[in-house]
Every structure is written in C-alpha cells, then in structure tokens.
C-alpha cells in the first residue's frame, strides 16, 4: 500500500532507468571474458527480477516496519530469511540457465556466473546500496519534519509570549483611572482652574499607556517624565497627605527601555502604600551609569498588611514582563525596613533585550 502511494510518472521513469542500468551492470560482469553473450543475457535477465523484488521488499517493508520501528530482532530474523531466499533463487537460476542455455556444458559457462558467492555478492551490493540511500533519505525527511515541527512549536510559543507581553504591557489598575476621574469630577464641580491641567496630564499618560506601549522600546527619559506626570496626578488626589521624594540622574536621550517598565512599580507603590502618621510617603530614585539602570522605589506601609510582603499581583506581573524583556539580565529585590517597603531593579545592560536578541538572529 505504501509503495502504491509513492508511484507517479517521474518515479516510474527514474526507477525504470535505474533498473536498466543495473541490468547492464549484471550483463557486463557475466559476459566478461566470455563469448557466451546469450547466456549472460538470459542470466542477467533472470537475476534482475530477483534483485528488484528483494530491493523493494527490504526498502518498503523490512526497513520501515522493523528497522525504523526499532524492532531489531524481527528485522534480523526476516533479513536472514530473505538471505536464504536469495541464495536459493540464485542457485536455481544458475542450474536453470546451465540446463536450458548451455545444455549442461559447464566448460562454456562464463567464469563470473560460476561463482555462486560472487553472484550473491552482486545482488547484496545492489540491495544494500539502495537500502543505505533509502535510510539516509528517510532520516533526512524525518529530520526536516522534526525541524519544521520544532519551528512551529517555537513560533507558537513566541506568539504566546508576545500575546502575554502585550497583555502585561496594557495592564493598568482600573482603580487609578476611577480615582483620577473622580478627582477631575470633583475639581470640575468646583470649577477649579486645575481641571484642564489634570485632564491634560491624564490624557498624556493614557496616550503613553495605550499607544506608545506598542513600540518595542521607548526612551527612558520619556518613561521618567510620565512617572512624574503620574505622581502629579496622585498629588492632586491625595492633596496634603502625600509626600514624594523623587530624584533622577541625567539621562541620555538615546537610552531606551521596554515601555511601561517603571510605571507599574510606581502604581504598585501607590496601590499598596499606607498612610503612616497621616502621610503616604513615596521615595523614587533613578540612576543610570554606563548603560546600567538602577531604580529604587519605596513606600510607607503598615506591616500588618501581609499582601505587600509578597509584592502582590502587581509585582508578579512586573517580574513576568522583566523575564520576557530582559531574560537573565536583571536583578529585582525587595525588602522591608521598619514602616517602609522597598523594591530595587537593576539592569546592567540596557541594550540586551529580547527584541535585540531577535534582531541578531
């Protein structure tokens, strides 16, 4: 059945030409140093069907069913049976041609055809060479199929990672939007002059979160500016109960990071921070030195708040994004000091991102 599936015009033509060449190969040896051309013709013509049959039997039955399936004992057993069958048919062919063509005249028999082992060796060489080529071809096809399957798996995994990264990028806690909108609503009722400025800051921040986030990399300077806008919005909401200590070193315009890399830390600090002695305190420090980023953020909190001890869901999502963007290229630690919770992020090579690795490939 497998043989029938493989049959097409080109295959038939190629196989036919090959077996014609094998026939001439046999004829050359059996007519060598002999004038009995008719004997060599009949003997070669009788040996060819045996060689064809055994070759196809070995390549389309024994090898795929037993050898490639790693059923080695059965392969060895059936190979031995095949060897016995070949030997029997060759012996029968030698005596048949001797009787019908040479009329029992052993002296006129071509020397090459007298040697049973030489005839057997010729058949085994033809079958063996074709089987070897067939195994190599099968191995190549299997390796190619495995490679394609592996590439598809990697491509699927990459798509899933990109979807996960896209989802994590777009995450922003709804409570921030609701709180900010409520603040704007309150200022609008009072007809405060600050209302347009608050709306503008929120608009800029949302533009960054919703649109700039689609870029693989953004300016670190731009990220820091949006952190400041975020803080300004929270200052409006918290009024006199918020104290922020923010410091940043001089940042080169060419330094780039993954979008929304630092803002989730700030959002996490405001979400989990607690008022201590009547104030929510936030400390933020951004340092860049020799392509190495060091970001430290701390917030006041009440130690009975167990959720912050493990970082909460926000920090877990941040770590996932770092794994996707900066695999094996960052250090994220957190510690508790008295009524302070600190998180520290260090990325020693900002140019080594997942996106740049793909570009090198």
């Amino acid at each position: 059945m497998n043989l029938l599936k493989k049959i097409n015009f080109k295959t038939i033509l190629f196989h036919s030409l090959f077996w014609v060449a094998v026939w001439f190969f046999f004829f050359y040896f059996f007519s060598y140093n002999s004038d009995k051309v008719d004997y060599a013709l009949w003997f070669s013509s009788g040996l060819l069907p045996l060689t064809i049959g055994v070759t196809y039997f070995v390549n389309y039955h024994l090898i795929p069913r037993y050898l490639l399936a790693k059923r080695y004992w059965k392969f060895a057993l059936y190979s031995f049976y095949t060897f016995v069958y070949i030997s029997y048919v060759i012996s029968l062919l030698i005596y048949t041609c001797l009787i019908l063509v040479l009329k029992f005249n052993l002296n006129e028999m071509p020397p090459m055809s007298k040697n049973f082992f030489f005839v057997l060796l010729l058949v085994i060489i033809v079958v063996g060479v074709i089987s070897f080529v067939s195994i190599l071809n099968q191995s190549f096809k299997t390796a190619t199929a495995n490679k394609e399957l592996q590439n598809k798996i990697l491509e699927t995994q990459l798509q899933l990672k990109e979807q996960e990264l896209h989802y994590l990028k777009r995450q922003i806690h709804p409570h921030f939007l609701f709180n900010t909108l409520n603040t704007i609503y309150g200022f609008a009722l009072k007809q405060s002059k600050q209302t347009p400025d608050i709306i503008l800051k929120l608009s800029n921040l949302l533009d960054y979160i919703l649109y700039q986030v689609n870029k693989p990399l953004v300016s670190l300077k731009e990220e820091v500016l949006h952190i400041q806008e975020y803080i300004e919005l929270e200052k409006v909401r918290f009024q006199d109960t918020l104290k922020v200590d923010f410091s940043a070193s001089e940042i080169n315009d060419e330094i780039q990071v993954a979008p929304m890399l630092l803002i989730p830390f700030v959002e996490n600090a405001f979400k989990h921070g607690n008022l201590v002695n009547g104030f929510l305190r936030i400390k933020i420090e951004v340092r860049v030195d020799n392509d190495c980023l060091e970001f430290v953020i701390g917030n006041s909190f009440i130690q009975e708040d167990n959720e912050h001890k493990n970082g909460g869901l926000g920090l877990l999502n941040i770590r996932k994004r770092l794994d996707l963007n900066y695999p094996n290229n960052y250090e994220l630690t957190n510690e508790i000091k008295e009524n302070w919770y600190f998180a520290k992020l260090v990325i020693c090579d900002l140019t080594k991102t997942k996106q740049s690795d793909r570009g090198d490939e």
Side-chain angles (χ1 to χ4, degrees):
M1 192 66 180
N2 290 333
L3 179 60
L4 293 176
K5 290 180 180 179
K6 296 177 181 292
I7 290 179
N8 55 54
F9 177 74
K10 289 184 178 179
T11 303
I12 292 173
L13 180 62
F14 175 78
H15 284 218
S16 300
L17 292 174
F18 174 80
W19 290 119
V20 168
V22 171
W23 184 89
F24 279 105
F25 172 73
F26 287 159
F27 181 78
Y28 169 78
F29 277 103
F30 298 132
S31 62
Y32 181 78
N33 202 22
S34 174
D35 57 353
K36 291 296 180 180
V37 178
D38 56 340
Y39 179 88
L41 190 148
W42 282 103
F43 191 77
S44 300
S45 300
L47 192 62
L48 186 65
L50 169 66
T51 309
I52 293 174
V54 171
T55 299
Y56 287 137
F57 174 73
V58 170
N59 282 277
Y60 292 108
H61 183 74
L62 286 187
I63 290 177
R65 190 166 184 178
Y66 300 108
L67 182 61
L68 298 181
K70 298 182 179 180
R71 301 163 69 182
Y72 300 121
W73 284 109
K74 284 194 173 183
F75 177 76
L77 178 63
Y78 288 122
S79 296
F80 174 74
Y81 289 159
T82 304
F83 177 80
V84 172
Y85 172 76
I86 294 172
S87 301
Y88 171 75
V89 174
I90 289 176
S91 300
L92 189 64
L93 180 63
I94 291 174
Y95 284 109
T96 301
C97 288
L98 179 63
I99 294 170
L100 297 180
V101 179
L102 299 180
K103 310 299 182 184
F104 284 103
N105 191 346
L106 188 61
N107 294 328
E108 294 183 357
M109 192 174 185
M112 293 294 186
S113 62
K114 286 182 181 180
N115 192 331
F116 165 80
F117 293 104
F118 176 76
V119 177
L120 179 63
L121 181 62
L122 282 182
V123 175
I124 291 175
I125 287 174
V126 174
V127 175
V129 169
I130 297 173
S131 299
F132 178 73
V133 172
S134 177
I135 292 173
L136 284 181
N137 185 48
Q138 186 67 32
S139 299
F140 176 76
K141 288 181 179 179
T142 303
T144 303
N146 289 339
K147 186 67 176 177
E148 290 177 355
L149 180 61
Q150 186 180 10
N151 289 338
K152 288 181 180 178
I153 292 173
L154 290 174
E155 185 179 349
T156 302
Q157 290 176 341
L158 180 60
Q159 289 176 351
L160 290 174
K161 288 293 184 184
E162 287 178 346
Q163 289 176 1
E164 181 182 3
L165 179 59
H166 186 70
Y167 167 73
L168 290 171
K169 279 181 179 180
R170 288 189 172 274
Q171 277 194 340
I172 181 169
H173 293 292
H175 82 281
F176 165 73
L177 289 176
F178 285 125
N179 289 336
T180 305
L181 289 173
N182 284 333
T183 301
I184 293 173
Y185 177 72
F187 274 77
L189 288 178
K190 297 176 184 178
Q191 296 183 347
S192 172
K193 295 180 180 180
Q194 290 182 272
T195 304
D197 186 52
I198 299 172
I199 294 174
L200 180 62
K201 283 184 171 61
L202 179 61
S203 175
N204 290 337
L205 189 60
L206 289 178
D207 175 74
Y208 180 69
I209 293 171
L210 298 176
Y211 300 106
Q212 302 300 317
V213 78
N214 291 322
K215 298 178 181 178
L217 295 171
V218 296
S219 167
L220 175 59
K221 198 169 187 178
E222 186 178 358
E223 177 89 357
V224 172
L225 287 174
H226 283 92
I227 288 176
Q228 291 174 321
E229 283 188 328
Y230 187 101
I231 293 172
E232 290 301 319
L233 287 172
E234 293 289 13
K235 281 182 178 179
V236 173
R237 183 164 69 92
F238 280 92
Q239 297 294 321
D240 296 332
T241 60
L242 176 64
K243 290 186 177 182
V244 179
D245 182 8
F246 182 90
S247 65
S249 63
E250 187 68 26
I251 300 173
N252 193 310
D253 292 337
E254 296 180 357
I255 295 177
Q256 293 187 313
V257 294
M260 292 286 290
L261 180 68
L262 304 180
I263 289 180
F265 285 97
V266 181
E267 185 185 10
N268 212 42
F270 278 98
K271 178 184 177 184
H272 295 291
N274 301 122
L275 272 67
V276 177
N277 297 325
F279 294 99
L280 170 62
R281 291 179 169 86
I282 304 290
K283 292 181 180 179
I284 300 173
E285 187 175 359
V286 183
R287 289 195 298 268
V288 179
D289 185 24
N290 294 328
D291 205 32
C292 183
L293 168 66
E294 185 175 319
F295 175 76
V296 180
I297 183 168
N299 62 270
S300 59
F301 89 113
I302 301 171
Q303 295 200 26
E304 286 75 15
D305 185 2
N306 293 324
E307 183 183 8
H308 216 340
K309 291 182 180 180
N310 295 321
L313 180 61
L315 198 58
L316 178 63
N317 289 338
I318 291 169
R319 195 176 291 276
K320 284 183 179 180
R321 282 201 60 216
L322 287 167
D323 287 335
L324 290 169
N325 283 291
Y326 299 94
N328 304 317
N329 188 37
Y330 76 92
E331 183 181 349
L332 178 60
T333 57
N334 58 286
E335 65 173 335
I336 297 172
K337 282 185 180 180
E338 298 176 352
N339 287 328
W340 281 89
Y341 176 89
F342 287 98
K344 182 178 181 180
L345 171 66
V346 178
I347 302 175
C348 291
D349 188 357
L350 291 173
T351 60
K352 187 179 179 182
T353 64
K354 195 68 175 177
Q355 286 83 4
S356 63
D357 290 342
R358 288 177 198 159
D360 293 339
E361 293 171 4

